[in-house]
Amino acid sequence: MMSSVSVSHTLSSAMLSLYRLPGASTAKPPLFPSTSTFTQPRPPAFLFSHSKTLPKPPKFPKSPSALLQWNRKPQLSGETPRVVVVTSGKGGVGKTTTTANIGLSLARLDFSVVAIDADVGLRNLDLLLGLENRVNYTALEVLNGDCRLDQALVRDKRWSNFELLCISKPRSKLPLGFGGKALIWLVDALKSRTEGCPDFILIDCPAGIDAGFITAITPANEAILITTPDITALRDADRVTGLLECDGIRDIKMIVNRVRTDMIKGEDMMSVLDVQEMLGLPLLGAIPEDSEVIRSTNRGYPLVLNKPPTLAGLAFEQAAWRLVEQDTMQAVMVEEEPKRGFFSFFGG
Ligand code: ADP
Ligand code: MG
């Protein structure tokens, strides 16, 4: 189990060191920054900054112990179980993709994870995880007393410390009487299982801000807000931030998904920095637009399990690290170096 964590992290560290920028400015950058005058050659495409949690990796590790130190397990911060709702407002921005990939990344990092698919009408987390044929019972049957909780939990065969719990069968409606209290009961039942309380309970939230949304956020004490860099998703994300705060969830971090540096460069897409300035939320990660995401969705094989990892997979993996350590990253302006044609995305 640990070996593949090590392998992927060595790789992501190597990429980190490759893509590390010289000290990013702490001064507030302009909203639509112009080109900059960097003297050093710049890395292409994405940079994943992880300045606080990860020590700067050695370029060529001198000894196996140096390598092991770099491949440490992240330090779990906060009380367990960390009940995290993955939400957005607008649909189709990547909540389920994020839940699957961050959930499996956490499991690969040796944390126990239960992912709850709270998208009642449009359940699809099971499909993304390739577990659709193994869901025999749902949380509704547990609540009705038709089965035990452990019968409704589907254990992933690849990572046995990852389990999936679906609220209901696909295309069913949220039954009357099923609300936040029922979900709190389920979370409490997960906490008091004989095999121990999970480290993380991830709740994949339905789109919108109606009853399903309210139910999904009720047991959570922190939130990952997913948005894409477009104005409609941002407006919905802003509305959802307000609702989360009203519900007492103060720990809200955002992931900006489907980012395209080519479009940002051409000023056809907002940069991650623009998004951060508009929403004013700490940044957990920025995920590039990646056709591998769609391929992995269709295969039921989450991206973070890919070998070699793709950029989006690495970005999800690093967002998982930050989630564990309650760390954030800093977005910087997209910069262009006209002569070389290189540009950067983030700085640490
Ligand atoms: P939501 O749960 O918010 O409705 P999904 O996770 O189901 O959104 O994603 C919606 C669609 O967007 C899916 O087809 C998924 O494959 C695609 N998608 C999500 N993130 C990315 C990405 N980074 N690059 C490319 N496609 C993506
Ligand atoms: Mg979804």
Side-chain angles (χ1 to χ4, degrees):
M1 229 198 236
M2 279 309 289
S3 65
S4 66
V5 173
S6 306
V7 168
S8 66
H9 246 285
T10 313
L11 232 155
S12 68
S13 341
M15 291 198 68
L16 263 173
S17 68
L18 264 178
Y19 288 165
R20 192 172 292 277
L21 279 181
S25 160
T26 49
K28 211 175 176 193
L31 196 61
F32 292 103
S34 58
T35 55
S36 76
T37 51
F38 271 90
T39 47
Q40 280 181 262
R42 310 305 306 284
F46 253 71
L47 173 92
F48 302 100
S49 157
H50 210 309
S51 54
K52 196 179 117 198
T53 39
L54 301 183
K56 196 169 181 176
K59 267 189 189 150
F60 303 102
K62 291 179 185 72
S63 65
S65 62
L67 195 67
L68 280 175
Q69 191 190 357
W70 172 236
N71 288 326
R72 69 188 173 85
K73 184 180 167 179
Q75 293 283 306
L76 182 57
S77 160
E79 274 179 31
T80 56
R82 302 252 312 262
V83 185
V84 185
V85 63
V86 182
T87 185
S88 68
K90 190 181 172 196
V93 293
K95 293 179 292 297
T96 307
T97 307
T98 302
T99 310
N101 282 290
I102 291 205
L104 276 176
S105 292
L106 293 171
R108 279 155 50 97
L109 290 167
D110 223 13
F111 297 106
S112 53
V113 182
V114 174
I116 301 181
D117 189 342
D119 198 341
V120 173
L122 302 167
R123 167 185 127 185
N124 51 18
L125 184 57
D126 54 332
L127 285 173
L128 261 75
L129 292 163
L131 298 175
E132 69 277 13
N133 294 331
R134 297 184 44 218
V135 184
N136 295 323
Y137 295 104
T138 66
L140 281 182
E141 281 142 327
V142 178
L143 290 163
N144 286 336
D146 296 336
C147 70
R148 296 186 313 273
L149 177 62
D150 57 288
Q151 289 178 297
L153 285 163
V154 182
R155 196 176 287 281
D156 191 290
K157 282 194 177 140
R158 300 157 291 203
W159 298 92
S160 59
N161 48 343
F162 182 96
E163 288 168 299
L164 170 71
L165 176 65
C166 296
I167 295 289
S168 68
K169 300 226 152 39
R171 290 188 294 279
S172 58
K173 286 197 175 132
L174 191 70
L176 280 176
F178 184 91
K181 278 192 185 153
L183 213 51
I184 288 179
W185 184 88
L186 283 169
V187 167
D188 286 341
L190 287 170
K191 283 186 202 170
S192 48
R193 277 202 304 166
T194 43
E195 47 270 72
C197 159
D199 296 314
F200 286 89
I201 298 176
L202 301 182
I203 304 173
D204 183 18
C205 189
I209 50 172
D210 54 14
F213 165 80
I214 303 293
T215 301
I217 68 170
T218 303
N221 34 41
E222 50 189 297
I224 303 177
L225 186 76
I226 315 293
T227 186
T228 45
D230 62 87
I231 204 75
T232 51
L234 283 180
R235 183 193 276 176
D236 292 355
D238 193 40
R239 174 102 177 87
V240 162
T241 307
L243 293 173
L244 290 170
E245 284 171 352
C246 283
D247 200 62
I249 302 175
R250 304 249 162 247
D251 184 350
I252 310 170
K253 298 191 182 79
M254 71 167 179
I255 284 185
V256 186
N257 190 21
R258 309 196 76 155
V259 177
R260 287 185 53 181
T261 44
D262 55 338
M263 288 183 71
I264 297 173
K265 225 174 94 181
E267 299 198 356
D268 294 320
M269 181 181 266
M270 267 178 272
S271 72
V272 176
L273 186 63
D274 297 337
V275 173
Q276 202 180 10
E277 287 192 340
M278 283 180 188
L279 292 181
L281 293 173
L283 185 62
L284 190 66
I287 318 294
E289 171 81 29
D290 185 347
S291 54
E292 273 303 317
V293 175
I294 298 156
R295 205 166 292 144
S296 74
T297 301
N298 292 336
R299 283 167 55 214
Y301 192 81
L303 198 71
V304 289
L305 302 179
N306 276 5
K307 283 180 193 161
T310 66
L311 280 180
L314 285 171
F316 276 124
E317 200 173 274
Q318 291 178 353
W321 267 72
R322 293 186 195 104
L323 181 70
V324 172
E325 300 200 329
Q326 294 194 325
D327 191 13
T328 53
M329 66 182 287
Q330 200 184 355
V332 298
M333 64 191 88
V334 168
E335 291 146 354
E336 203 184 333
E337 200 178 42
K339 277 184 191 160
R340 293 176 184 271
F342 285 148
F343 56 92
S344 73
F345 204 76
F346 302 116

